[in-house]
Structure formats: C-alpha cells, structure tokens
Amino acid sequence: MSARVVVIGVGNPLRGDDGAGPAAVEALRGRVPEDTVLAVSDGEPARMLDLWRGADTVVVVEALRTRPARPGALHTLTPAEAAGHAPGTASTHAIGLGECIALAEALDRLPPTLVVHAVEVADVGLGARLSEAVRSSLPELTERAAASVRQAHARTP
C-alpha cells in the first residue's frame, strides 16, 4: 500500500508573490511520483481540510509575510511553527495557515505528517508578477517540496 501524499500550493497567482505556492506546484509536475496529489488552494480552511483528508503526508507551499521582510528567504516550518505565527504575518491571506492548522487540530483532522515550505514575499499587489527575489528562490522552494514528497514515499513500507 502506498502513502497518500498531497502537495498544496497556497496562494493567488494574480497577487504577485502570493503566487509562489501555485507556481511551485506547477513546477513539481513530472518531478514527483504520479500518485502524488498536486493541488492549488486559496487557503480557505474548509477547502484545505478537504484537500488533505485521508492524506498520510501533506506538504504545503506558501508565501510568508515576516517583519522585517527578507524577500526570497526560504523557511521550512513544522505545524507548531506555522501555527505560532501571529495572525496576518504567517500568510498573505485573510485567514492564515496557522488558523487552518488550529481548526484541524480542534477537529482532529491534522494529517500524520504536515510540512510547510514558505518563501518570504516582497509584493502581493493585485496584478503584480512574482518579484525577482521570489522568482529566483522558486527552484529551491520547489526542490524542498520535492524532497519532502520523496521522503514521504520512502517512508512507505
């Protein structure tokens, strides 16, 4: 039996660097095993919980706001670290990943393994393209997500 592995690129490609998650998921096509679920989400908690229902491993690729900002800097976060970011700082969305994780915990719907790969943003303006800082970090962000997928499949007996 193989593990169910889900990769979710969270973000909005029409809002500049917020499109990093979806761009990373697109870059993963053909680089991960065919049975890996590749999805894009706007980050709304109910949709996120539906996407990771029944998954053994969930890899989230997300844009991250930090203060002070270091656009293009990469982070790999545990669920506790992602949940520990203050609302409005850990996400470029109105409801952040931290709130989604808290809801999943309350409903006992956290996957056994959840890894968050995030890139710090420069610009999330409507209609903007990925900034140079985020665009140049995209190959490494994608590789980190791919490595998490490989590790998840390697854990399968």
Side-chain angles (χ1 to χ4, degrees):
M1 180 173 123
S2 75
R4 183 166 185 264
V5 180
V6 177
V7 181
I8 305 171
V10 179
N12 181 344
L14 301 176
R15 294 197 64 102
D17 290 343
D18 194 36
V25 165
E26 189 58 37
L28 285 172
R29 296 191 190 286
R31 292 187 56 193
V32 294
E34 285 184 18
D35 61 346
T36 303
V37 176
L38 298 175
V40 172
S41 174
D42 62 2
E44 193 279 323
R47 286 190 284 274
M48 294 283 287
L49 296 182
D50 276 346
L51 286 170
W52 72 42
R53 177 180 294 147
D56 299 295
T57 299
V58 174
V59 178
V60 175
V61 186
E62 167 79 290
L64 178 72
R65 288 185 195 260
T66 59
R67 291 182 184 89
R70 295 176 304 144
L74 299 176
H75 302 269
T76 298
L77 307 170
T78 65
E81 291 168 332
H85 281 276
T89 61
S91 177
T92 58
H93 322 292
I95 297 177
L97 184 59
E99 290 88 349
C100 184
I101 291 170
L103 177 61
E105 284 180 318
L107 297 174
D108 195 29
R109 293 196 40 204
L110 267 179
T113 302
L114 174 64
V115 179
V116 179
H117 296 291
V119 60
E120 293 187 34
V121 300
D123 182 10
V124 293
L126 188 59
R129 294 181 179 213
L130 291 177
S131 67
E132 180 55 37
V134 170
R135 190 172 35 259
S136 66
S137 67
L138 196 56
E140 178 60 25
L141 180 66
T142 302
E143 177 50 38
R144 288 183 183 198
S148 292
V149 170
R150 287 191 300 270
Q151 288 173 349
H153 284 288
R155 286 192 298 266
T156 302

